[in-house]
Amino acid sequence: MNKTYICADIHGDLAGYKELLNLIDFDDTDRMTIAGDVLDRGKYGIELLELVLSQSNVSLLLGNHEMFAIMYLSGELSQDDWIRFGGQDTLSGILKMNQAKKEELLHKLLALPLYTEIESPVYGNTVVTHTGIDLDNLVYVHDDVIDVKESIKAGFERNTYNFMCGRDIHYAPTEILKRLNQYIILGHVPTYYINDDYSCNAYRSDYYMDIDCGNGKKRNGGRICCYDVNDDIYIYCKQS
Ligand SMILES: [Mn+2]
């Protein structure tokens, strides 16, 4: 009851998402933020997108895979390139749509926000976003403080592709991280690439938390991770 959850990078796993909602007893009084990448890799990206957009207490943020769909629908990404990025099944779904349906989808995708803020008992006012900051477009309040929200906006506006697929927070040295003015919860990079033990557990530092536990690549042991903000615990879906 009245809980706040965050997950990320579900990647077309409709059954896994439903399993997660069951596991956490998600009800109308709870809130869920999905920090991007419901599309691609898994089979049911379009269906998953439709479901989360229909849930009034679930909000979806823009991930690079939603951006790929926007680029494809806007004629800025070729089918071959999208397939290379894992878009095969999403593309098949879109190819079955008529023009009106495609336009409706594009309209919905363009409305997805880049970030949101939640109140964390551990970290205070916290930014939730997909990739974090773009190291090539940091906005300084002064020498010692980087404005996280302004950096996200600047990175996206100056070079959307670079912001989504470039040198993100995972490449940031500690001198940069310690200047961030807010804690960040994000996904995008599967945590087995970051964790010292290569595990599919959430990654957590003093500056940010990555909860993409690799559900897009289940063969690597990847799974859905959900962060329970109130109780400061992680809930993992077992592999289906
Ligand atoms: Mn991503």
Side-chain angles (χ1 to χ4, degrees), residues 218-230:
K218 284 180 182 288
R219 64 178 179 277
N220 293 351
R223 53 188 179 165
I224 295 176
C225 170
C226 178
Y227 180 54
D228 174 335
V229 176
N230 308 84

Side-chain angles (χ1 to χ4, degrees), residues 9 11 35-37 39 41 62-66 68 130-131 164-165 168 187-190 212:
D9 298 80
H11 282 300
D37 282 4
L39 296 180
R41 305 204 194 285
L62 184 74
N64 55 301
H65 287 270
E66 286 74 49
F68 294 151
H130 184 62
T131 63
M164 282 290 184
C165 304
D168 63 43
H188 187 55
V189 174
D212 171 2

Side-chain angles (χ1 to χ4, degrees), residues 118-126 183 185 204-206 209 227-234:
I118 53 120
E119 208 50 51
S120 152
V122 183
Y123 300 108
N125 194 233
T126 299
Y183 197 79
I185 299 176
R204 183 167 180 148
S205 76
D206 291 341
M209 182 191 296
Y227 180 54
D228 174 335
V229 176
N230 308 84
D231 292 346
D232 188 31
I233 54 164
Y234 302 102

Side-chain angles (χ1 to χ4, degrees), residues 40-235:
D40 297 351
R41 305 204 194 285
K43 270 202 164 340
Y44 302 102
I46 296 282
E47 292 84 350
L48 180 59
L49 177 78
E50 297 286 352
L51 173 60
V52 304
L53 292 178
S54 74
Q55 294 176 295
S56 58
N57 51 341
V58 175
S59 37
L60 173 65
L61 308 177
L62 184 74
N64 55 301
H65 287 270
E66 286 74 49
M67 191 193 71
F68 294 151
I70 291 173
M71 289 171 70
Y72 170 75
L73 289 163
S74 311
E76 292 163 19
L77 181 69
S78 71
Q79 293 195 5
D80 285 351
D81 282 342
W82 196 10
I83 290 168
R84 212 157 46 80
F85 299 146
Q88 177 69 69
D89 292 310
T90 317
L91 178 64
S92 304
I94 289 180
L95 290 173
K96 286 180 205 142
M97 295 177 184
N98 63 27
Q99 193 55 31
K101 190 88 181 124
K102 284 181 195 166
E103 279 167 24
E104 188 191 323
L105 175 64
L106 178 59
H107 187 73
K108 286 177 185 170
L109 290 167
L110 286 169
L112 297 178
L114 275 177
Y115 68 86
T116 189
E117 286 173 288
I118 53 120
E119 208 50 51
S120 152
V122 183
Y123 300 108
N125 194 233
T126 299
V127 172
V128 185
T129 188
H130 184 62
T131 63
I133 46 169
D134 170 7
L135 297 187
D136 298 323
N137 285 294
L138 298 175
V139 178
Y140 284 80
V141 181
H142 54 77
D143 285 356
D144 289 330
V145 179
I146 295 166
D147 190 310
V148 169
K149 284 178 287 183
E150 291 304 319
S151 296
I152 290 171
K153 285 189 247 175
F156 185 76
E157 277 159 26
R158 289 175 196 162
N159 187 333
T160 306
Y161 189 85
N162 201 52
F163 170 74
M164 282 290 184
C165 304
R167 292 194 320 133
D168 63 43
I169 196 167
H170 299 90
Y171 298 83
T174 307
E175 311 81 273
I176 295 288
L177 294 173
K178 67 186 187 191
R179 290 180 164 81
L180 303 178
N181 69 345
Q182 283 179 281
Y183 197 79
I184 310 177
I185 299 176
L186 48 82
H188 187 55
V189 174
T191 55
Y192 49 73
Y193 288 127
I194 318 169
N195 286 327
D196 291 337
D197 60 358
Y198 310 105
S199 74
C200 294
N201 296 330
Y203 168 86
R204 183 167 180 148
S205 76
D206 291 341
Y207 313 104
Y208 71 93
M209 182 191 296
D210 185 330
I211 56 168
D212 171 2
C213 292
N215 200 52
K217 287 182 181 159
K218 284 180 182 288
R219 64 178 179 277
N220 293 351
R223 53 188 179 165
I224 295 176
C225 170
C226 178
Y227 180 54
D228 174 335
V229 176
N230 308 84
D231 292 346
D232 188 31
I233 54 164
Y234 302 102
I235 297 129

